Amino acid sequence: MKFFFRLMGIAVAVFFIYSTVASANALTAEKILQNMDAVRNPQSDYRVTAKMVSKKPGKKDKTAAYEVLMKGQDKTIIKTLEPEMDRGTSLLMLRYDLWVFLQNISKPLRISLQQRLFGEAANGDIARANFSGDYDPILTEEVTIKGKAFYLLDLTAKNEKVTYHKVRLWVMKETFYPLKGEFYAVSGKLLKICYFTNYKNILDRMRPTRLVLDNPLVKGQRTIIDYADMRLDDFQDKIFTKNYMKKLKY
């Protein structure tokens, strides 16, 4: 009997140690989201070109191109390169505040992250890439897709200024690669579905270079965003000010 209780004691101790180690090594939803953000974008200043194609059933494709300058997580400049008629239009984001600077208007206009930039892409889709800073995540479950394990995260906006009220993300367990995102309004309406594709080795790690934004209400209506020429930079703070916007070079 003493031997039996001794074995039981050892079993309980082993289980406790295993549970403690497993708990310590378990990733929180917040950490998963931070790792995913690091896959999508460098965690230092950088610039990148975003080329877009807007597709609508029965209509000719429309194209646009932007140069995006990112400083930290809360400062962004978007320079419109194409179409030619819009070239020179700039957007400045400081935290959750966003302004558009037009060539023929002397004062900047205040706009929101939720407003449409081009096609199915909202301003916030390009200006902000900080899921872990903008949303509170919950790890809902782990799912298997085509033999690979994914975390399923449900995100809720930390404030009403962010682009979407709720987001659902599928993140690959092994690599933290984002696969798919669903974006919802406050009403619960599904606004768009995003697919993260075309992974390439950029700045020392694999990153998605193509985003496909589908309109869930109109079959075949989508916007494709291709990112290219991503480079690290070291921007001065003065660039990300309203006074500097008219000095931007194109």
Side-chain angles (χ1 to χ4, degrees):
M1 183 63 71
K2 289 182 179 179
F3 179 72
F4 173 77
F5 283 115
R6 189 177 302 161
L7 285 178
M8 286 295 293
I10 294 173
V12 170
V14 170
F15 176 78
F16 176 77
I17 293 172
Y18 175 81
S19 299
T20 301
V21 172
S23 177
N25 292 334
L27 285 174
T28 63
E30 289 81 4
K31 189 62 177 178
I32 295 170
L33 197 58
Q34 290 170 7
N35 287 336
M36 191 215 70
D37 274 344
V39 168
R40 288 191 59 208
N41 305 282
Q43 299 303 290
S44 56
D45 298 0
Y46 70 96
R47 66 174 69 218
V48 67
T49 300
K51 295 184 177 181
M52 302 189 190
V53 179
S54 176
K55 296 179 175 289
K56 293 184 178 181
K59 295 186 178 181
K60 185 179 179 180
D61 291 355
K62 293 182 178 181
T63 61
Y66 305 89
E67 184 180 21
V68 184
L69 284 58
M70 293 272 195
K71 184 172 182 62
Q73 301 297 334
D74 294 320
K75 295 180 180 179
T76 304
I77 291 173
I78 300 176
K79 298 166 60 178
T80 305
L81 306 179
E82 300 175 11
E84 187 62 33
M85 63 179 296
D86 295 328
R87 184 179 176 87
T89 298
S90 306
L91 276 70
L92 171 66
M93 185 202 73
L94 299 175
R95 195 162 171 74
Y96 298 110
D97 295 324
L98 189 65
W99 295 270
V100 60
F101 295 79
L102 305 173
Q103 292 296 304
N104 56 348
I105 297 179
S106 58
K107 293 185 178 181
L109 302 176
R110 190 75 170 265
I111 57 177
S112 72
L113 293 170
Q114 295 90 350
Q115 286 178 246
R116 186 166 298 188
L117 174 66
F118 179 80
E120 302 303 314
N123 292 323
D125 291 331
I126 305 299
R128 286 192 71 83
N130 185 20
F131 280 106
S132 55
D134 292 344
Y135 296 92
D136 292 318
I138 295 175
L139 177 56
T140 304
E141 61 178 318
E142 295 182 16
V143 297
T144 301
I145 302 175
K146 295 183 178 180
K148 295 186 179 296
F150 288 82
Y151 296 115
L152 181 56
L153 299 176
D154 281 338
L155 316 183
T156 302
K158 292 183 177 181
N159 64 66
E160 72 282 356
K161 291 185 177 181
V162 301
T163 314
Y164 306 101
H165 179 64
K166 287 186 179 293
V167 180
R168 173 165 284 192
L169 287 174
W170 284 258
V171 181
M172 189 177 292
K173 187 174 181 180
E174 183 179 356
T175 59
F176 301 107
Y177 292 175
L179 172 71
K180 174 185 173 183
E182 293 179 348
F183 301 88
Y184 295 85
V186 175
S187 64
K189 177 184 177 182
L190 177 60
L191 298 174
K192 70 185 66 171
I193 302 171
C194 177
Y195 299 94
F196 303 87
T197 67
N198 202 20
Y199 277 78
K200 294 181 180 180
N201 193 337
I202 299 175
L203 298 177
D204 297 326
R205 73 180 304 167
M206 298 296 289
R207 306 182 190 276
T209 63
R210 171 172 286 186
L211 272 60
V212 180
L213 305 177
D214 275 352
N215 185 326
L217 301 179
V218 183
K219 185 177 181 180
Q221 185 164 310
R222 59 172 41 175
T223 296
I224 300 170
I225 307 173
D226 284 308
Y227 290 100
D229 194 24
M230 181 179 285
R231 292 173 286 147
L232 296 181
D233 213 315
D234 185 17
F235 300 117
Q236 296 180 356
D237 286 326
K238 70 176 183 179
I239 296 176
F240 296 84
T241 61
K242 288 188 282 187
N243 291 335
Y244 197 87
M245 287 298 98
K246 291 294 184 180
K247 301 177 183 178
L248 288 176
K249 296 181 180 179
Y250 279 82

